[in-house]
Each structure stands twice: as structure tokens, then as C-alpha cells.
Amino acid sequence: MAVATIAIVTELPGMDEFEQLLAAAYHTERGISRRLMRSAGIGEHAALQATLESVAAKQGLPDLQQLLLLRAQERQAAQAKLAAKAQRQSAALALKKNHHAPDAKAWLAWFDGSAHPNPGKIGIGGLLTGPDGATIEICQCAGFGNSSVAEYRALIAVLEQGVRLQPAQLVIYGDSLVVIDDMNQSAAKGAGSLQGERAYAHRLIAQMNDVTLRWIPRHRNAAADRLSQQGVALWHDSALAPTNSN
């Protein structure tokens, strides 16, 4: 491959000649250039220029300048495509957030229940926050049962608070897929062992205007989890732990 020394005429704003070559070259062309640099004993700039001039000639282009212009147009098109994709993703995320965003007047709540062992002594935790900054914490030992019963009793405790508060909207978050999925089932399809808890929870919801249940991953439910663990700890401080009756 002959080593050319023709000066590059094309100049892009803010880029020197070598930067233009680097920006235009594909990965494989840079590899060819490095091998030429070692075999011909020439500098990196000259080797890359010679490589791209050879590419331009093979493509039937009049000179290296035309190749650089075409490659610059390719980069601009790729960048525009990426920008459009990012914009679409951003718009979709904003739409999703707005769709799930609670009303400004809504009360937000989180619940969690623990059974130690499973089944065993139940501790329940709940946290409710109002639009004016009010906060209500629930931390109780709540009888005996398995983890699903514990989660349901925590949800029920939050709903009972909701009935007392009567908020314009109550959005409740929990990390129990068992309970949230069960609440969305009909009485015939729901878990038979949780029928009493589900029925009572639905009766409480019917006493309020707007209640929404949403699942969240466990790491986003830390406050309610902490309160439920404290509820379990209350067993050690109480001679007789209370038992929820629905």
C-alpha cells in the first residue's frame, strides 16, 4: 500500500486533521492502520490517512475528503437516531410516572407483616403519610399465623386507619405479591386460606372513596418492614400479645 502525503482539505469545527481521521475510521480500519504503521515505519497520522485514502479509492470516491464527509453524515444520522430514541424513552417514562402519580391530596401508605418463625408470632407494621406532612405509624404484635396472614393483617391495619381518616385518595404500597394478587382475585379464585382476611379488607375498602394497591420491591418498603420487626419484638415485652379478629 503506497503511503500518500496529500493534505486533508476537509475540516470539521473543533477537530484537527488527525481527529477527523480518527472519527471517520471504523474499528477494522484502525487495526489496518496500526499494522501499516509498524510495517512501513511511519507515524500514526500518516498510516491512518493512507488507509482511509485506500478505502475511498476502493469505494470509487474522488478523494479522501469525500469519504470524510460521508462518514461525518453517517455519524450525524446515528447521533440523531440515538437522540430520538432517548427522547421517546424519556417521554414514555414521564407518561408512566404521571399515570401512576397519586393525587396531590392523597394519603400514601406502606404495610408489611412478619411471622417468626413461619408460621409463628406475627408482627405488623404500617406507615401512613398525609399531604400536609402528617405521619401515622403502626407497630403491633398481631397473633399467630404464616407470613401471608401477617401481610394481610398489616394491610388491614392500614385500611382501618384509612377508614378513620377518610382521605380523598389512599394509595397503599406493599412488597407482598401474594396479598396484592389475592386482593385482585374474585372470592371464588382467591386463596381459600386467606378468604376471611380478603373479605374483611374489601369491606374496609368499600367504606372509602378511592383506594389503590400497588406492589413495590422489598428494598422500597424498608420503613414498614422495620415497624413489623419491631412488632415481633413486642412479643418479648408483652405477657399476652393481642390477636386480630376480623
Side-chain angles (χ1 to χ4, degrees):
M1 181 183 295
V3 179
T5 57
I6 302 173
I8 299 174
V9 177
T10 302
E11 292 187 2
L12 300 178
M15 300 178 68
D16 61 23
E17 292 180 357
F18 185 53
E19 288 173 333
Q20 292 178 55
L21 294 173
L22 285 174
Y26 295 154
H27 180 74
T28 54
E29 293 165 352
R30 292 185 184 187
I32 294 171
S33 172
R34 287 191 292 271
R35 290 193 291 273
L36 175 62
M37 182 177 63
R38 291 191 294 269
S39 63
I42 59 177
E44 187 176 5
H45 186 162
L48 187 56
Q49 180 173 331
T51 299
L52 292 181
E53 286 176 342
S54 175
V55 171
K58 289 178 181 179
Q59 294 182 4
L61 299 175
D63 51 34
L64 177 57
Q65 178 183 0
Q66 189 63 32
L67 177 67
L68 295 180
L69 287 173
L70 290 175
R71 294 287 174 89
Q73 291 171 357
E74 288 178 2
R75 290 196 305 275
Q76 290 171 358
Q79 290 169 357
K81 186 175 180 180
L82 287 174
K85 181 179 179 180
Q87 187 174 9
R88 288 194 301 271
Q89 290 174 337
S90 177
L93 181 60
L95 181 62
K96 183 178 180 180
K97 287 182 176 179
N98 289 335
H99 177 71
H100 289 292
D103 187 89
K105 297 180 180 179
W107 275 73
L108 307 181
W110 295 261
F111 72 92
D112 193 56
S114 300
H116 292 258
N118 186 19
K121 299 173 181 179
I122 289 177
I124 62 173
L127 175 67
L128 296 91
T129 61
D132 59 353
T135 300
I136 298 174
E137 289 189 348
I138 300 169
C139 179
Q140 301 171 6
C141 43
F144 296 85
N146 59 30
S147 58
S148 296
V149 172
E151 293 280 6
Y152 247 121
R153 290 182 180 171
L155 170 61
I156 285 168
V158 167
L159 289 171
E160 288 173 338
Q161 284 291 339
V163 170
R164 297 186 187 97
L165 294 166
Q166 287 298 314
Q169 182 185 19
L170 177 60
V171 182
I172 303 174
Y173 301 94
D175 58 43
S176 173
L177 277 174
V178 171
V179 168
I180 292 176
D181 286 348
D182 192 66
M183 284 292 293
N184 291 324
Q185 297 290 340
S186 65
K189 294 182 178 180
S193 61
L194 300 172
Q195 182 177 357
E197 285 82 5
R198 180 177 59 255
Y200 183 49
H202 278 295
R203 289 199 299 272
L204 292 170
I205 289 175
Q207 298 176 50
M208 289 177 276
N209 294 323
D210 185 354
V211 179
T212 303
L213 291 178
R214 294 180 184 169
W215 178 85
I216 55 173
R218 187 172 183 82
H219 69 271
R220 292 177 55 193
N221 202 30
D225 176 66
R226 172 181 55 81
L227 290 166
S228 73
Q229 298 303 324
Q230 291 176 4
V232 172
L234 289 175
W235 280 90
H236 302 291
D237 303 325
S238 174
L240 180 63
T243 303
N244 283 12
S245 59
N246 298 336

